[in-house]
Amino acid sequence: ADGFNPAVASAAMAEAREAVARMSFEQLLQAPWPSMHGIALFPTVARTNHSCDPSACIQFPSNSARLTATALRPLAVGEELSISYIRQDADVRSRKQQLLEYGFVCSCDRCLREDSAQVRKANKRLK
Protein backbone atom coordinates (compact mmCIF):
# COMPACT_ATOMS: atom_id res chain seq x y z
CA ALA A 1 0.00 0.00 0.00
CA ASP A 2 2.76 2.49 0.91
CA GLY A 3 5.25 1.06 -1.62
CA PHE A 4 7.55 -0.48 1.01
CA ASN A 5 9.05 -3.77 -0.14
CA PRO A 6 11.07 -5.45 2.64
CA ALA A 7 13.15 -7.57 0.23
CA VAL A 8 14.12 -4.54 -1.87
CA ALA A 9 14.90 -2.48 1.23
CA SER A 10 17.02 -5.27 2.72
CA ALA A 11 18.98 -5.74 -0.51
CA ALA A 12 19.55 -1.98 -0.84
CA MET A 13 20.75 -1.73 2.76
CA ALA A 14 23.15 -4.66 2.25
CA GLU A 15 24.53 -3.04 -0.91
CA ALA A 16 24.96 0.32 0.85
CA ARG A 17 26.70 -1.30 3.84
CA GLU A 18 29.12 -3.10 1.51
CA ALA A 19 29.91 0.13 -0.36
CA VAL A 20 30.51 2.04 2.89
CA ALA A 21 32.68 -0.79 4.27
CA ARG A 22 35.01 -0.45 1.26
CA MET A 23 35.49 3.31 1.79
CA SER A 24 38.24 4.94 3.81
CA PHE A 25 37.26 7.47 6.44
CA GLU A 26 38.41 10.32 4.16
CA GLN A 27 36.35 8.94 1.25
CA LEU A 28 33.35 8.65 3.51
CA LEU A 29 33.64 12.28 4.59
CA GLN A 30 33.93 13.48 0.97
CA ALA A 31 31.15 11.24 -0.40
CA PRO A 32 27.93 12.88 -1.58
CA TRP A 33 25.14 12.48 0.94
CA PRO A 34 21.46 12.48 0.01
CA SER A 35 19.69 15.77 0.58
CA MET A 36 16.93 15.09 3.05
CA HIS A 37 14.90 17.36 5.23
CA GLY A 38 15.49 17.13 8.94
CA ILE A 39 18.94 15.55 8.98
CA ALA A 40 20.68 16.54 12.18
CA LEU A 41 22.50 15.11 15.13
CA PHE A 42 20.68 15.61 18.41
CA PRO A 43 22.41 13.47 21.06
CA THR A 44 19.40 13.44 23.39
CA VAL A 45 17.00 12.33 20.66
CA ALA A 46 19.52 9.78 19.40
CA ARG A 47 19.17 8.03 22.76
CA THR A 48 15.36 8.04 22.68
CA ASN A 49 13.93 4.54 22.47
CA HIS A 50 11.40 3.35 19.90
CA SER A 51 7.81 2.33 20.54
CA CYS A 52 5.10 1.49 17.99
CA ASP A 53 2.81 3.37 20.40
CA PRO A 54 5.08 6.36 21.10
CA SER A 55 4.58 8.92 23.83
CA ALA A 56 6.13 11.76 21.81
CA CYS A 57 6.84 12.90 18.28
CA ILE A 58 9.82 14.82 16.97
CA GLN A 59 9.45 17.67 14.49
CA PHE A 60 11.70 20.20 12.82
CA PRO A 61 9.55 23.37 12.63
CA SER A 62 9.91 25.23 9.32
CA ASN A 63 12.62 22.75 8.31
CA SER A 64 14.95 24.51 10.74
CA ALA A 65 17.86 23.18 12.77
CA ARG A 66 15.62 23.36 15.85
CA LEU A 67 13.91 20.29 17.20
CA THR A 68 10.54 20.16 18.92
CA ALA A 69 9.37 17.18 20.96
CA THR A 70 5.62 17.04 21.57
CA ALA A 71 3.84 14.67 23.94
CA LEU A 72 1.17 12.62 22.18
CA ARG A 73 -0.72 11.86 25.39
CA PRO A 74 -0.59 12.81 29.06
CA LEU A 75 2.65 11.56 30.61
CA ALA A 76 3.28 10.44 34.16
CA VAL A 77 6.18 11.93 36.10
CA GLY A 78 9.25 9.81 35.35
CA GLU A 79 7.64 8.03 32.37
CA GLU A 80 10.08 7.25 29.58
CA LEU A 81 9.67 9.29 26.40
CA SER A 82 9.55 7.15 23.29
CA ILE A 83 9.30 7.94 19.59
CA SER A 84 8.47 5.82 16.57
CA TYR A 85 11.35 5.21 14.17
CA ILE A 86 8.94 4.05 11.46
CA ARG A 87 5.41 4.62 10.18
CA GLN A 88 2.92 3.45 12.76
CA ASP A 89 0.11 2.37 10.41
CA ALA A 90 1.73 -0.91 9.27
CA ASP A 91 0.81 -4.31 10.68
CA VAL A 92 2.97 -5.88 13.38
CA ARG A 93 4.92 -8.13 10.98
CA SER A 94 5.81 -5.23 8.67
CA ARG A 95 6.82 -3.02 11.59
CA LYS A 96 9.07 -5.71 13.05
CA GLN A 97 10.68 -6.30 9.64
CA GLN A 98 11.36 -2.58 9.17
CA LEU A 99 12.83 -2.29 12.66
CA LEU A 100 15.33 -5.07 11.95
CA GLU A 101 17.18 -2.43 9.90
CA TYR A 102 17.74 -0.62 13.22
CA GLY A 103 19.19 -3.80 14.68
CA PHE A 104 16.47 -4.92 17.08
CA VAL A 105 13.23 -6.87 17.34
CA CYS A 106 10.49 -4.66 18.71
CA SER A 107 8.91 -5.84 21.94
CA CYS A 108 6.90 -2.74 22.80
CA ASP A 109 3.48 -3.20 24.41
CA ARG A 110 1.68 -2.68 21.09
CA CYS A 111 3.74 -5.33 19.27
CA LEU A 112 3.30 -7.81 22.11
CA ARG A 113 -0.45 -7.17 22.17
CA GLU A 114 -0.83 -7.46 18.38
CA ASP A 115 1.41 -10.53 18.16
CA SER A 116 -0.69 -12.21 20.85
CA ALA A 117 -3.89 -11.32 18.98
CA GLN A 118 -2.50 -12.82 15.74
CA VAL A 119 -1.49 -16.01 17.57
CA ARG A 120 -5.00 -16.37 19.04
CA LYS A 121 -6.60 -15.82 15.59
CA ALA A 122 -4.30 -18.39 13.99
CA ASN A 123 -5.08 -20.94 16.71
CA LYS A 124 -8.83 -20.43 16.24
CA ARG A 125 -8.48 -21.08 12.49
CA LEU A 126 -6.61 -24.34 13.19
CA LYS A 127 -9.35 -25.71 15.47
Side-chain angles (χ1 to χ4, degrees), residues 16-41:
R17 283 186 186 109
E18 287 174 20
V20 168
R22 289 189 300 267
M23 298 172 83
S24 70
F25 183 67
E26 290 77 23
Q27 289 172 319
L28 193 58
L29 289 175
Q30 295 173 358
W33 291 86
S35 63
M36 297 181 185
H37 296 284
I39 293 178
L41 177 60

mmCIF file of all heavy atoms in Angstrom, residues 16-41:
data_model
loop_
_atom_site.group_PDB
_atom_site.id
_atom_site.type_symbol
_atom_site.label_atom_id
_atom_site.label_comp_id
_atom_site.label_asym_id
_atom_site.label_seq_id
_atom_site.Cartn_x
_atom_site.Cartn_y
_atom_site.Cartn_z
ATOM 1 N N ALA A 16 24.419 -0.928 0.295
ATOM 2 C CA ALA A 16 24.961 0.318 0.849
ATOM 3 C C ALA A 16 26.006 0.025 1.923
ATOM 4 O O ALA A 16 27.058 0.670 1.974
ATOM 5 C CB ALA A 16 23.836 1.180 1.411
ATOM 6 N N ARG A 17 25.738 -0.944 2.787
ATOM 7 C CA ARG A 17 26.697 -1.301 3.836
ATOM 8 C C ARG A 17 28.016 -1.788 3.234
ATOM 9 O O ARG A 17 29.092 -1.444 3.715
ATOM 10 C CB ARG A 17 26.109 -2.368 4.753
ATOM 11 C CG ARG A 17 25.098 -1.833 5.732
ATOM 12 C CD ARG A 17 24.649 -2.900 6.729
ATOM 13 N NE ARG A 17 23.588 -2.396 7.549
ATOM 14 C CZ ARG A 17 22.316 -2.791 7.462
ATOM 15 N NH1 ARG A 17 21.958 -3.709 6.586
ATOM 16 N NH2 ARG A 17 21.404 -2.271 8.246
ATOM 17 N N GLU A 18 27.909 -2.608 2.180
ATOM 18 C CA GLU A 18 29.122 -3.100 1.512
ATOM 19 C C GLU A 18 29.920 -1.947 0.908
ATOM 20 O O GLU A 18 31.146 -1.904 1.027
ATOM 21 C CB GLU A 18 28.748 -4.104 0.419
ATOM 22 C CG GLU A 18 28.281 -5.438 0.953
ATOM 23 C CD GLU A 18 27.783 -6.368 -0.151
ATOM 24 O OE1 GLU A 18 28.134 -6.149 -1.337
ATOM 25 O OE2 GLU A 18 27.052 -7.309 0.171
ATOM 26 N N ALA A 19 29.226 -1.013 0.256
ATOM 27 C CA ALA A 19 29.908 0.133 -0.359
ATOM 28 C C ALA A 19 30.599 0.987 0.704
ATOM 29 O O ALA A 19 31.753 1.403 0.526
ATOM 30 C CB ALA A 19 28.903 0.978 -1.150
ATOM 31 N N VAL A 20 29.931 1.230 1.813
ATOM 32 C CA VAL A 20 30.512 2.040 2.892
ATOM 33 C C VAL A 20 31.693 1.310 3.522
ATOM 34 O O VAL A 20 32.715 1.924 3.842
ATOM 35 C CB VAL A 20 29.435 2.393 3.948
ATOM 36 C CG1 VAL A 20 30.058 2.980 5.197
ATOM 37 C CG2 VAL A 20 28.417 3.349 3.352
ATOM 38 N N ALA A 21 31.589 -0.009 3.665
ATOM 39 C CA ALA A 21 32.676 -0.786 4.271
ATOM 40 C C ALA A 21 33.961 -0.718 3.439
ATOM 41 O O ALA A 21 35.061 -0.814 3.986
ATOM 42 C CB ALA A 21 32.241 -2.234 4.456
ATOM 43 N N ARG A 22 33.841 -0.528 2.132
ATOM 44 C CA ARG A 22 35.013 -0.449 1.256
ATOM 45 C C ARG A 22 35.653 0.945 1.245
ATOM 46 O O ARG A 22 36.738 1.122 0.718
ATOM 47 C CB ARG A 22 34.617 -0.820 -0.181
ATOM 48 C CG ARG A 22 34.299 -2.296 -0.373
ATOM 49 C CD ARG A 22 34.141 -2.652 -1.846
ATOM 50 N NE ARG A 22 33.085 -1.908 -2.491
ATOM 51 C CZ ARG A 22 31.826 -2.306 -2.627
ATOM 52 N NH1 ARG A 22 31.458 -3.480 -2.140
ATOM 53 N NH2 ARG A 22 30.931 -1.567 -3.252
ATOM 54 N N MET A 23 34.996 1.929 1.830
ATOM 55 C CA MET A 23 35.492 3.310 1.785
ATOM 56 C C MET A 23 36.401 3.616 2.968
ATOM 57 O O MET A 23 36.179 3.133 4.078
ATOM 58 C CB MET A 23 34.315 4.293 1.799
ATOM 59 C CG MET A 23 33.390 4.165 0.603
ATOM 60 S SD MET A 23 31.901 5.173 0.777
ATOM 61 C CE MET A 23 32.529 6.743 0.229
ATOM 62 N N SER A 24 37.408 4.441 2.712
ATOM 63 C CA SER A 24 38.241 4.936 3.807
ATOM 64 C C SER A 24 37.452 6.036 4.522
ATOM 65 O O SER A 24 36.446 6.540 4.006
ATOM 66 C CB SER A 24 39.547 5.519 3.264
ATOM 67 O OG SER A 24 39.288 6.732 2.555
ATOM 68 N N PHE A 25 37.938 6.414 5.689
ATOM 69 C CA PHE A 25 37.262 7.474 6.438
ATOM 70 C C PHE A 25 37.233 8.780 5.627
ATOM 71 O O PHE A 25 36.213 9.457 5.571
ATOM 72 C CB PHE A 25 37.965 7.692 7.785
ATOM 73 C CG PHE A 25 37.293 8.719 8.643
ATOM 74 C CD1 PHE A 25 36.040 8.489 9.167
ATOM 75 C CD2 PHE A 25 37.920 9.929 8.920
ATOM 76 C CE1 PHE A 25 35.408 9.438 9.959
ATOM 77 C CE2 PHE A 25 37.306 10.876 9.708
ATOM 78 C CZ PHE A 25 36.042 10.635 10.235
ATOM 79 N N GLU A 26 38.340 9.092 4.972
ATOM 80 C CA GLU A 26 38.412 10.316 4.161
ATOM 81 C C GLU A 26 37.410 10.266 3.006
ATOM 82 O O GLU A 26 36.733 11.242 2.703
ATOM 83 C CB GLU A 26 39.837 10.530 3.616
ATOM 84 C CG GLU A 26 40.850 10.914 4.678
ATOM 85 C CD GLU A 26 41.295 9.713 5.531
ATOM 86 O OE1 GLU A 26 41.179 8.550 5.076
ATOM 87 O OE2 GLU A 26 41.741 9.950 6.668
ATOM 88 N N GLN A 27 37.312 9.098 2.345
ATOM 89 C CA GLN A 27 36.347 8.942 1.248
ATOM 90 C C GLN A 27 34.919 9.096 1.767
ATOM 91 O O GLN A 27 34.078 9.697 1.110
ATOM 92 C CB GLN A 27 36.511 7.573 0.578
ATOM 93 C CG GLN A 27 37.758 7.420 -0.230
ATOM 94 C CD GLN A 27 37.948 5.988 -0.693
ATOM 95 O OE1 GLN A 27 37.709 5.038 0.047
ATOM 96 N NE2 GLN A 27 38.397 5.844 -1.939
ATOM 97 N N LEU A 28 34.682 8.558 2.920
ATOM 98 C CA LEU A 28 33.351 8.651 3.511
ATOM 99 C C LEU A 28 32.967 10.097 3.788
ATOM 100 O O LEU A 28 31.845 10.528 3.515
ATOM 101 C CB LEU A 28 33.302 7.823 4.796
ATOM 102 C CG LEU A 28 31.951 7.529 5.415
ATOM 103 C CD1 LEU A 28 31.055 6.794 4.445
ATOM 104 C CD2 LEU A 28 32.107 6.731 6.687
ATOM 105 N N LEU A 29 33.913 10.873 4.310
ATOM 106 C CA LEU A 29 33.641 12.283 4.593
ATOM 107 C C LEU A 29 33.394 13.090 3.325
ATOM 108 O O LEU A 29 32.612 14.041 3.321
ATOM 109 C CB LEU A 29 34.802 12.901 5.374
ATOM 110 C CG LEU A 29 34.967 12.447 6.823
ATOM 111 C CD1 LEU A 29 36.216 13.056 7.424
ATOM 112 C CD2 LEU A 29 33.738 12.792 7.641
ATOM 113 N N GLN A 30 34.054 12.727 2.223
ATOM 114 C CA GLN A 30 33.927 13.475 0.974
ATOM 115 C C GLN A 30 32.795 12.971 0.083
ATOM 116 O O GLN A 30 32.449 13.607 -0.904
ATOM 117 C CB GLN A 30 35.246 13.428 0.200
ATOM 118 C CG GLN A 30 36.350 14.136 0.933
ATOM 119 C CD GLN A 30 37.709 13.945 0.255
ATOM 120 O OE1 GLN A 30 37.823 13.260 -0.738
ATOM 121 N NE2 GLN A 30 38.727 14.568 0.828
ATOM 122 N N ALA A 31 32.206 11.844 0.430
ATOM 123 C CA ALA A 31 31.155 11.244 -0.401
ATOM 124 C C ALA A 31 29.904 12.120 -0.416
ATOM 125 O O ALA A 31 29.604 12.816 0.561
ATOM 126 C CB ALA A 31 30.798 9.858 0.133
ATOM 127 N N PRO A 32 29.185 12.120 -1.537
ATOM 128 C CA PRO A 32 27.928 12.883 -1.575
ATOM 129 C C PRO A 32 26.879 12.204 -0.695
ATOM 130 O O PRO A 32 26.744 10.987 -0.715
ATOM 131 C CB PRO A 32 27.530 12.830 -3.046
ATOM 132 C CG PRO A 32 28.187 11.603 -3.584
ATOM 133 C CD PRO A 32 29.454 11.432 -2.791
ATOM 134 N N TRP A 33 26.199 12.988 0.072
ATOM 135 C CA TRP A 33 25.140 12.480 0.937
ATOM 136 C C TRP A 33 23.808 12.908 0.363
ATOM 137 O O TRP A 33 23.690 13.976 -0.227
ATOM 138 C CB TRP A 33 25.310 13.025 2.358
ATOM 139 C CG TRP A 33 26.510 12.437 3.026
ATOM 140 C CD1 TRP A 33 27.792 12.885 2.956
ATOM 141 C CD2 TRP A 33 26.552 11.255 3.816
ATOM 142 N NE1 TRP A 33 28.621 12.071 3.671
ATOM 143 C CE2 TRP A 33 27.889 11.054 4.206
ATOM 144 C CE3 TRP A 33 25.588 10.345 4.226
ATOM 145 C CZ2 TRP A 33 28.294 9.994 4.998
ATOM 146 C CZ3 TRP A 33 25.989 9.283 5.018
ATOM 147 C CH2 TRP A 33 27.321 9.110 5.402
ATOM 148 N N PRO A 34 22.776 12.092 0.538
ATOM 149 C CA PRO A 34 21.458 12.481 0.010
ATOM 150 C C PRO A 34 20.948 13.734 0.709
ATOM 151 O O PRO A 34 21.213 13.940 1.890
ATOM 152 C CB PRO A 34 20.563 11.280 0.317
ATOM 153 C CG PRO A 34 21.287 10.481 1.338
ATOM 154 C CD PRO A 34 22.742 10.820 1.234
ATOM 155 N N SER A 35 20.273 14.579 -0.047
ATOM 156 C CA SER A 35 19.693 15.768 0.580
ATOM 157 C C SER A 35 18.313 15.405 1.106
ATOM 158 O O SER A 35 17.424 15.046 0.349
ATOM 159 C CB SER A 35 19.595 16.916 -0.419
ATOM 160 O OG SER A 35 18.726 16.562 -1.461
ATOM 161 N N MET A 36 18.195 15.419 2.403
ATOM 162 C CA MET A 36 16.925 15.085 3.048
ATOM 163 C C MET A 36 16.580 16.207 4.006
ATOM 164 O O MET A 36 17.452 16.882 4.515
ATOM 165 C CB MET A 36 17.041 13.780 3.823
ATOM 166 C CG MET A 36 17.337 12.599 2.962
ATOM 167 S SD MET A 36 17.427 11.146 4.007
ATOM 168 C CE MET A 36 17.925 9.933 2.827
ATOM 169 N N HIS A 37 15.332 16.357 4.261
ATOM 170 C CA HIS A 37 14.898 17.362 5.231
ATOM 171 C C HIS A 37 15.001 16.763 6.626
ATOM 172 O O HIS A 37 14.681 15.611 6.838
ATOM 173 C CB HIS A 37 13.461 17.797 4.947
ATOM 174 C CG HIS A 37 13.309 18.469 3.631
ATOM 175 N ND1 HIS A 37 13.721 19.758 3.412
ATOM 176 C CD2 HIS A 37 12.838 18.034 2.454
ATOM 177 C CE1 HIS A 37 13.489 20.091 2.168
ATOM 178 N NE2 HIS A 37 12.944 19.057 1.557
ATOM 179 N N GLY A 38 15.469 17.546 7.549
ATOM 180 C CA GLY A 38 15.485 17.125 8.942
ATOM 181 C C GLY A 38 16.682 16.290 9.345
ATOM 182 O O GLY A 38 16.638 15.627 10.351
ATOM 183 N N ILE A 39 17.755 16.280 8.572
ATOM 184 C CA ILE A 39 18.945 15.549 8.982
ATOM 185 C C ILE A 39 19.696 16.402 9.993
ATOM 186 O O ILE A 39 20.014 17.557 9.717
ATOM 187 C CB ILE A 39 19.858 15.220 7.787
ATOM 188 C CG1 ILE A 39 19.169 14.230 6.862
ATOM 189 C CG2 ILE A 39 21.183 14.639 8.272
ATOM 190 C CD1 ILE A 39 19.987 13.904 5.637
ATOM 191 N N ALA A 40 19.956 15.820 11.138
ATOM 192 C CA ALA A 40 20.681 16.541 12.176
ATOM 193 C C ALA A 40 21.141 15.540 13.212
ATOM 194 O O ALA A 40 20.659 14.407 13.244
ATOM 195 C CB ALA A 40 19.780 17.587 12.823
ATOM 196 N N LEU A 41 22.045 15.952 14.042
ATOM 197 C CA LEU A 41 22.496 15.108 15.135
ATOM 198 C C LEU A 41 22.080 15.778 16.438
ATOM 199 O O LEU A 41 22.569 16.850 16.781
ATOM 200 C CB LEU A 41 24.013 14.918 15.086
ATOM 201 C CG LEU A 41 24.592 14.092 16.237
ATOM 202 C CD1 LEU A 41 23.984 12.696 16.252
ATOM 203 C CD2 LEU A 41 26.090 14.002 16.118
#
